Amino acid sequence: DAKTTQPPSMDCAEGRAANLPCNHSTISGNEYVYWYRQIHSQGPQYIIHGLKNNETNEMASLIITEDRKSSTLILPHATLRDTAVYYCILHGRGGSEKLVFGKGMKLTVNP
Amino acid sequence: NAGVMQNPRHLVRRRGQEARLRCSPMKGHSHVYWYRQLPEEGLKFMVYLQKENIIDESGMPKERFSAEFPKEGPSILRIQQVVRGDSAAYFCASSPSRGLETQYFGPGTRLLVL
């Protein structure tokens, strides 16, 4: 079972920042927070990951709270093509190699 | 650098036939993972392979399903005597090594069993 909790859905206006929350209160010290998304009928796409420091790449920013029990994925300027199901996943060093996908959160970007 | 390739993209089989799904990992990647996504559900891990070795098959159904990743050529997920419940999207992912490596996914094969 997934160890993360996400709201089932969220709407965002095109051009606005989308802030996607994720709770992972039972995270272990060696577990990273990974974000993937799945656009309809496509394979999952890697977005970003982090351990405890905030991370930024060309797609998004990841903010992890100091106690690491929650995080937020930020899409700074959402576009219609960002409409997808977003998955927050914990993946730990030394553990199983498999990714455990939960139900994710459906983000709908509206024009 | 080409991404993960999967073929066929769509596969239709009648009950009782065999389905063979192929996955070519990204260049330089020697680790392959297969996941299944049933309609309206999330992705579920099936099997993890390294060249010529099955590392973790904890998610594979006990019967009719097998996977291989030969020294040369793509990884193959084989489903024998398919049933309607096998209809799903099958995704392959690859990574360059074991451990905490990002997995990159292919476009998937959509299997429909009639």
Side-chain angles (χ1 to χ4, degrees), chain B residues 81-109:
Chain B
Q81 300 175 329
V82 295
V83 301
R84 287 201 174 130
D86 297 332
S87 295
Y90 292 82
F91 293 98
C92 166
S94 74
S95 67
S97 63
R98 193 168 188 172
L100 199 70
E101 292 284 357
T102 299
Q103 296 178 23
Y104 295 91
F105 285 79
T109 293

Side-chain angles (χ1 to χ4, degrees), chain A residues 7-101:
Chain A
S9 63
M10 176 181 289
D11 281 31
C12 176
E14 187 178 19
R16 298 280 191 161
N19 298 310
L20 287 65
C22 180
N23 287 322
H24 31 80
S25 58
T26 60
I27 190 170
S28 301
N30 65 347
E31 287 183 314
Y32 286 66
V33 180
Y34 274 75
W35 283 83
Y36 283 79
R37 73 180 181 184
Q38 188 174 25
I39 297 169
H40 184 61
S41 298
Q42 297 184 22
Q45 178 187 23
Y46 165 77
I47 302 173
I48 199 168
H49 74 282
L51 183 64
K52 53 184 178 181
N53 296 320
N54 298 338
E55 302 288 344
T56 296
N57 62 20
E58 65 279 2
M59 290 184 68
S61 294
L62 175 60
I63 308 298
I64 302 174
T65 58
E66 192 168 344
D67 63 7
R68 303 212 319 126
K69 293 185 176 182
S70 66
S71 59
T72 301
L73 179 74
I74 301 172
L75 307 179
H77 305 286
T79 70
L80 299 179
R81 283 182 286 186
D82 291 322
T83 293
V85 177
Y86 286 75
Y87 297 96
C88 171
I89 298 169
L90 301 185
H91 193 33
R93 190 180 297 277
S96 170
E97 311 295 344
K98 63 186 177 185
L99 295 174
V100 179
F101 287 82

Side-chain angles (χ1 to χ4, degrees), chain B residues 43-62:
Chain B
L43 285 86
K44 303 292 184 187
F45 168 81
M46 299 181 76
V47 63
Y48 161 42
L49 309 101
Q50 192 182 353
K51 282 286 188 182
E52 300 185 277
N53 289 304
I54 296 175
I55 307 299
D56 180 356
E57 56 182 346
S58 59
M60 286 280 270
K62 298 300 180 191

